[in-house]
Amino acid sequence: VVDATGSVTLMFVDASCTYTGADATVSILNADDVTITADGSCYIADTSANITESAVYSDSVPLTLDCTGTLSIDGNSKEGITVSKAAFVIEKGDYILNTVGNGLQPKGKGTSLVINGGTFDITSGGDGIKNSKTDITINGGDFTINAGGDGISADTTLTVNGGTFDITTSGG
C-alpha cells in the first residue's frame, strides 16, 4: 500500500508479489505521483476471488510505468492495472498481462493513458485496453492483444501515432 506524501518510486528487482486479500496487490492511495520500475523479471498477482479492483490500482494518484525489465501481472479475479481519476503513463518496458477482466484500464474523468513505448502481451477475459471517460494516446510500442471483449475500447478519444498491433478478439 502506498499512502505517502511527495513523489514515490516503487522499484521491483527480480521480485514476486502476490496477495490474497480484498484489496489490490499494489494499492496506491496517496502520493503526489508514483513511478513503478521493474528491473529483471518481476511478477505481481492477485490470488483472491474477492479482490475489489485490480492487481495494481491507483486511486486519484498519477502513475508512471518505466521499466527496463519485464513486469508480469496476473489479474486472477479482475483487471490487471487500473488508474482512476489521474494520469497514467507508460514510458517503456516489457509487460505481460493475464487477466480475468480488462488488461489496462484507465477510468474516470481527468484520467488519460499515454503509451510512449514498450512491448505488451495482453491476454484478457474482458478488453485488452479499456478506457472509461478517458483519452488514450499511443505513441509507440509493440502490442499483442488476445481479448474476450474488444482489443482496444475507447469511449472518448483514441489517438495512435505509432506502434505495431496484433489484436485478436472473440466477442468485441
Side-chain angles (χ1 to χ4, degrees):
V1 173
V2 175
D3 190 355
T5 57
S7 296
V8 174
T9 298
L10 298 176
M11 194 176 312
F12 296 100
V13 179
D14 291 319
S16 179
C17 303
T18 59
Y19 183 65
T20 59
D23 296 324
T25 305
V26 177
S27 184
I28 302 167
L29 304 177
N30 288 305
D32 290 344
D33 56 79
V34 172
T35 299
I36 295 177
T37 66
D39 185 17
S41 182
C42 302
Y43 176 71
I44 297 172
D46 71 68
T47 57
S48 171
N50 301 319
I51 196 165
T52 56
E53 281 296 338
S54 302
V56 176
Y57 179 73
S58 179
D59 185 11
S60 303
V61 177
L63 176 63
T64 299
L65 302 180
D66 194 3
C67 300
T68 57
T70 300
L71 181 59
S72 298
I73 297 176
D74 284 346
N76 293 310
S77 60
K78 285 217 172 185
E79 279 67 51
I81 303 173
T82 298
V83 176
S84 179
K85 300 173 266 176
F88 182 13
V89 177
I90 301 174
E91 293 293 348
K92 65 183 177 299
D94 295 330
Y95 302 92
I96 301 168
L97 288 90
N98 294 295
T99 65
V100 170
N102 304 313
L104 298 174
Q105 179 172 285
K107 68 177 189 175
K109 287 188 177 186
T111 303
S112 61
L113 172 61
V114 176
I115 300 174
N116 291 317
T119 301
F120 300 85
D121 184 349
I122 301 172
T123 301
S124 64
D127 298 333
I129 301 172
K130 179 182 178 70
N131 78 338
S132 177
K133 301 177 186 163
T134 65
D135 294 333
I136 296 175
T137 302
I138 299 174
N139 294 317
D142 297 314
F143 298 83
T144 301
I145 300 173
N146 294 294
D150 296 329
I152 301 173
S153 174
D155 290 349
T156 56
T157 303
L158 170 63
T159 304
V160 178
N161 297 316
T164 59
F165 301 86
D166 180 2
I167 300 173
T168 304
T169 65
S170 60

